[in-house]
Protein backbone atom coordinates (compact mmCIF):
# COMPACT_ATOMS: atom_id res chain seq x y z
CA UNK A 1 0.00 0.00 0.00
CA UNK A 2 1.32 3.47 -0.83
CA UNK A 3 2.39 5.62 2.12
CA UNK A 4 -0.25 8.27 1.23
CA UNK A 5 -3.15 5.82 1.44
CA UNK A 6 -2.27 4.21 4.73
CA UNK A 7 -5.22 3.78 7.08
CA UNK A 8 -3.99 6.38 9.52
CA UNK A 9 -3.63 9.06 6.75
CA UNK A 10 -6.90 8.65 4.84
CA UNK A 11 -9.06 11.10 6.85
CA UNK A 12 -6.44 13.88 7.16
CA UNK A 13 -5.79 13.57 3.39
CA UNK A 14 -9.53 13.91 2.64
CA UNK A 15 -9.78 17.01 4.88
CA UNK A 16 -6.73 18.64 3.24
CA UNK A 17 -8.08 17.87 -0.27
CA UNK A 18 -11.51 19.34 0.57
CA UNK A 19 -10.00 22.50 2.07
CA UNK A 20 -7.60 22.89 -0.87
CA UNK A 21 -10.43 22.34 -3.38
CA UNK A 22 -12.59 24.92 -1.58
CA UNK A 23 -9.73 27.44 -1.68
CA UNK A 24 -9.12 26.81 -5.41
CA UNK A 25 -12.85 27.14 -6.17
CA UNK A 26 -12.95 30.43 -4.24
CA UNK A 27 -10.04 31.84 -6.27
CA UNK A 28 -11.68 30.79 -9.55
CA UNK A 29 -15.03 32.34 -8.56
CA UNK A 30 -13.38 35.63 -7.50
CA UNK A 31 -11.60 35.85 -10.85
CA UNK A 32 -14.82 35.14 -12.77
CA UNK A 33 -16.78 37.73 -10.74
CA UNK A 34 -14.15 40.43 -11.27
CA UNK A 35 -13.87 39.79 -15.01
CA UNK A 36 -17.48 40.80 -15.72
CA UNK A 37 -17.42 43.83 -18.07
CA UNK A 38 -21.04 44.67 -17.23
CA UNK A 39 -20.38 45.25 -13.54
CA UNK A 40 -19.82 48.79 -12.34
CA UNK A 41 -19.79 50.65 -9.07
CA UNK A 42 -21.12 54.19 -8.84
CA UNK A 43 -18.08 56.46 -8.51
CA UNK A 44 -17.84 58.34 -5.21
CA UNK A 45 -20.99 56.61 -3.99
CA UNK A 46 -20.23 57.13 -0.31
CA UNK A 47 -19.42 60.84 -0.76
CA UNK A 48 -22.63 61.31 -2.75
CA UNK A 49 -24.64 59.48 -0.08
CA UNK A 50 -23.18 61.66 2.68
CA UNK A 51 -23.93 64.79 0.65
CA UNK A 52 -27.53 63.79 -0.10
CA UNK A 53 -28.77 67.15 1.22
CA UNK A 54 -26.80 68.95 -1.51
CA UNK A 55 -28.35 66.62 -4.09
CA UNK A 56 -31.82 67.56 -2.85
CA UNK A 57 -30.86 71.25 -2.86
CA UNK A 58 -29.66 70.92 -6.49
CA UNK A 59 -32.97 69.26 -7.41
CA UNK A 60 -34.78 72.26 -5.89
CA UNK A 61 -32.56 74.67 -7.88
CA UNK A 62 -33.29 72.65 -11.05
CA UNK A 63 -37.03 72.94 -10.41
CA UNK A 64 -36.73 76.68 -9.71
CA UNK A 65 -34.82 77.26 -12.96
CA UNK A 66 -37.35 75.21 -14.93
CA UNK A 67 -34.95 74.51 -17.79
CA UNK A 68 -36.19 72.09 -20.44
CA UNK A 69 -33.76 69.59 -21.96
CA UNK A 70 -34.15 68.11 -25.45
CA UNK A 71 -31.45 65.60 -26.40
CA UNK A 72 -30.68 64.35 -29.89
CA UNK A 73 -28.28 61.47 -30.52
CA UNK A 74 -27.57 60.30 -34.06
CA UNK A 75 -27.44 56.71 -35.29
CA UNK A 76 -24.59 54.58 -33.95
CA UNK A 77 -22.41 54.04 -37.01
CA UNK A 78 -18.64 54.07 -36.90
CA UNK A 79 -16.51 55.55 -34.17
CA UNK A 80 -18.44 58.67 -33.20
CA UNK A 81 -22.03 59.82 -32.91
CA UNK A 82 -23.26 63.41 -33.07
CA UNK A 83 -24.83 64.48 -29.78
CA UNK A 84 -26.96 67.63 -29.68
CA UNK A 85 -28.74 69.07 -26.66
CA UNK A 86 -31.22 71.94 -26.68
CA UNK A 87 -31.72 73.84 -23.44
CA UNK A 88 -34.70 76.15 -23.08
CA UNK A 89 -35.93 78.23 -20.19
CA UNK A 90 -39.37 77.84 -18.61
CA UNK A 91 -40.77 80.32 -21.15
CA UNK A 92 -39.32 78.33 -24.07
CA UNK A 93 -36.56 80.88 -24.76
CA UNK A 94 -33.19 79.28 -25.60
CA UNK A 95 -30.57 79.18 -22.87
CA UNK A 96 -27.35 80.48 -24.44
CA UNK A 97 -23.92 81.03 -22.95
CA UNK A 98 -23.81 77.96 -20.74
CA UNK A 99 -20.91 75.59 -20.21
CA UNK A 100 -22.36 72.12 -20.69
CA UNK A 101 -20.62 68.91 -19.65
CA UNK A 102 -21.98 65.44 -20.20
CA UNK A 103 -21.17 62.07 -18.68
CA UNK A 104 -22.52 59.20 -20.79
CA UNK A 105 -22.49 55.51 -20.00
CA UNK A 106 -24.09 52.50 -21.58
CA UNK A 107 -26.32 50.91 -18.96
CA UNK A 108 -25.22 47.39 -19.98
CA UNK A 109 -21.54 48.40 -19.81
CA UNK A 110 -21.65 50.97 -17.03
CA UNK A 111 -17.93 50.73 -16.25
CA UNK A 112 -17.20 52.49 -19.56
CA UNK A 113 -17.84 56.22 -19.10
CA UNK A 114 -17.57 58.97 -21.70
CA UNK A 115 -17.04 62.49 -20.35
CA UNK A 116 -17.14 65.42 -22.77
CA UNK A 117 -17.92 69.12 -23.01
CA UNK A 118 -20.61 70.22 -25.43
CA UNK A 119 -19.81 73.33 -27.47
CA UNK A 120 -22.36 76.08 -28.05
CA UNK A 121 -24.06 75.88 -31.46
CA UNK A 122 -26.37 78.87 -31.02
CA UNK A 123 -30.07 79.12 -30.32
CA UNK A 124 -29.80 77.12 -27.09
CA UNK A 125 -28.20 74.15 -28.87
CA UNK A 126 -25.01 72.50 -27.65
CA UNK A 127 -23.22 69.67 -29.41
CA UNK A 128 -20.26 67.34 -29.63
CA UNK A 129 -19.23 64.14 -31.34
CA UNK A 130 -19.18 61.35 -28.75
CA UNK A 131 -17.21 58.10 -29.18
CA UNK A 132 -20.28 55.88 -28.77
CA UNK A 133 -19.85 52.47 -30.38
CA UNK A 134 -22.70 50.53 -28.76
CA UNK A 135 -26.42 50.55 -29.33
CA UNK A 136 -28.79 50.13 -26.41
CA UNK A 137 -29.80 52.10 -23.36
CA UNK A 138 -27.54 55.04 -22.45
CA UNK A 139 -27.66 57.19 -19.34
CA UNK A 140 -26.60 60.82 -19.74
CA UNK A 141 -25.77 63.03 -16.76
CA UNK A 142 -25.76 66.64 -17.88
CA UNK A 143 -24.47 69.68 -15.99
CA UNK A 144 -24.96 73.20 -17.36
CA UNK A 145 -23.43 76.30 -15.77
CA UNK A 146 -24.39 79.82 -16.86
CA UNK A 147 -23.08 82.52 -14.58
CA UNK A 148 -24.20 81.58 -11.08
CA UNK A 149 -26.95 79.30 -12.39
CA UNK A 150 -26.17 75.58 -12.21
CA UNK A 151 -28.61 73.02 -13.58
CA UNK A 152 -28.30 69.25 -13.77
CA UNK A 153 -30.40 66.51 -15.26
CA UNK A 154 -30.28 62.78 -15.95
CA UNK A 155 -31.50 61.59 -19.33
CA UNK A 156 -31.91 58.12 -20.79
CA UNK A 157 -31.68 57.42 -24.50
CA UNK A 158 -32.12 54.23 -26.50
CA UNK A 159 -29.38 54.34 -29.15
CA UNK A 160 -30.06 52.62 -32.47
CA UNK A 161 -27.79 51.64 -35.35
CA UNK A 162 -30.22 52.71 -38.08
CA UNK A 163 -32.04 55.72 -36.59
CA UNK A 164 -31.74 58.58 -34.15
CA UNK A 165 -31.92 57.64 -30.49
CA UNK A 166 -35.23 57.78 -28.68
CA UNK A 167 -35.74 59.31 -25.24
CA UNK A 168 -36.69 56.77 -22.59
CA UNK A 169 -38.90 58.20 -19.87
CA UNK A 170 -39.83 55.01 -18.01
CA UNK A 171 -37.12 53.54 -15.82
CA UNK A 172 -37.04 49.88 -14.77
CA UNK A 173 -38.30 49.53 -11.22
CA UNK A 174 -39.80 53.02 -11.11
CA UNK A 175 -43.34 53.42 -9.86
CA UNK A 176 -45.99 53.68 -12.57
CA UNK A 177 -47.63 57.14 -12.23
CA UNK A 178 -50.99 55.81 -13.44
CA UNK A 179 -51.04 53.15 -10.75
CA UNK A 180 -49.92 55.66 -8.13
CA UNK A 181 -52.77 58.03 -9.02
CA UNK A 182 -55.26 55.15 -8.99
CA UNK A 183 -54.06 54.10 -5.55
CA UNK A 184 -54.47 57.58 -4.08
CA UNK A 185 -58.02 58.19 -5.26
CA UNK A 186 -60.67 58.06 -2.54
CA UNK A 187 -62.93 55.03 -2.49
CA UNK A 188 -66.49 55.58 -3.80
Amino acid sequence: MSPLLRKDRIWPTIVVLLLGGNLALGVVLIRVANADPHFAVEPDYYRRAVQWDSTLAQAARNAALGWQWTPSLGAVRGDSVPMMLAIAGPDGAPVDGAQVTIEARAVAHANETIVDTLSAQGGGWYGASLPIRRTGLWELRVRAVRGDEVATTDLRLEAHADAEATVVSARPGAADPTRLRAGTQPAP
Side-chain angles (χ1 to χ4, degrees), residues 109-126:
H109 299 271
N111 61 343
E112 301 171 14
T113 303
I114 299 168
V115 178
D116 205 346
T117 300
L118 303 181
S119 60
Q121 307 290 317
W125 284 93
Y126 300 86

Side-chain angles (χ1 to χ4, degrees), residues 36 51 56 64 97 140 175:
D36 185 5
Q51 295 175 347
L56 292 177
L140 308 174

Side-chain angles (χ1 to χ4, degrees), residues 73-153:
L73 184 68
V76 179
R77 297 183 191 131
D79 290 338
S80 65
V81 177
M83 169 71 195
M84 296 294 290
L85 179 68
I87 305 175
D91 57 353
V95 174
D96 286 319
Q99 295 175 342
V100 181
T101 56
I102 189 167
E103 180 181 309
R105 68 172 41 107
V107 173
H109 299 271
N111 61 343
E112 301 171 14
T113 303
I114 299 168
V115 178
D116 205 346
T117 300
L118 303 181
S119 60
Q121 307 290 317
W125 284 93
Y126 300 86
S129 185
L130 300 180
I132 293 177
R133 295 178 186 90
R134 299 180 192 277
T135 59
L137 191 60
W138 282 79
E139 179 177 278
L140 308 174
R141 294 181 181 173
V142 183
R143 184 173 196 265
V145 179
R146 183 178 72 172
D148 60 349
E149 299 173 321
V150 177
T152 61
T153 189

Side-chain angles (χ1 to χ4, degrees), residues 30-76:
I30 287 171
R31 290 188 52 93
V32 168
N34 287 329
D36 185 5
H38 305 288
F39 176 77
V41 175
E42 180 73 30
D44 288 337
Y45 184 79
Y46 181 76
R47 181 187 56 80
R48 290 180 59 188
V50 169
Q51 295 175 347
W52 180 247
D53 291 340
S54 66
T55 302
L56 292 177
Q58 180 61 49
R61 286 191 297 271
N62 293 340
L65 283 173
W67 288 3
Q68 302 164 17
W69 311 80
T70 307
S72 172
L73 184 68
V76 179

